Amino acid sequence: MDSARRPPLIPMRPMKLPMKLSLVTALALWLVLAALNQPLHTAAAPQGMVSLQLAGTADQTHAILRSWRDGNLGLARLSLWLDLAFIVVYLATLLQLTRHFTRDRPGVRERMVARWVRVLFVIAGLSDVAENIVLLNNFNPPSDTLSLTATILALLKFTGLILGMAGLVVIRASRRRPLSTPH
């Protein structure tokens, strides 16, 4: 296949200013959240905040919160509140990225995949917001119901993000024209 006919991996059109701002803001917020998460790594929470998100029982949640008693509970709460802003930014970034990747993809299949990718990203963002609200309400005292709900919401979020990213790869990998036989 002639390389001139193959669509580029990344669209040739430059990114617009809102997309650039979203990417920079998302990266900055992610770095801040990563820095806040570092002191939250303990024996009970080896992954920091992710350990709390995936603690499916009140006992696990209580053990994690106990390991953060030395002033890190405030950091955990701050991280959850800051994550709410990050959700808005990463969702806007992913939706803009989806639009950017479909600019030169006029096919019906690509548009349908892009629609599903957007739905997955919105579901991931909404479940992330709900997860943060549940986690903020599960600090004192933790309950099995809230812990399990947070875990299910976290798994839904991660699944939506992973499948959405896979959909973006499918969109970019799809051909604009069928393969032609060389003459």
Side-chain angles (χ1 to χ4, degrees), residues 31-51:
L31 289 172
V32 170
L33 285 169
L36 286 174
N37 192 45
Q38 286 305 311
L40 301 178
H41 289 255
T42 62
Q47 299 299 317
M49 189 57 72
V50 175
S51 296

Side-chain angles (χ1 to χ4, degrees), residues 45-60:
Q47 299 299 317
M49 189 57 72
V50 175
S51 296
L52 181 66
Q53 293 170 348
L54 298 177
T57 65
D59 292 336
Q60 289 174 320

Side-chain angles (χ1 to χ4, degrees), residues 120 124 127 152-165:
L120 287 167
S127 63
I152 291 169
L153 289 168
L155 292 173
L156 183 62
K157 167 188 69 176
F158 292 135
T159 302
L161 290 173
I162 290 169
L163 290 176
M165 293 293 190

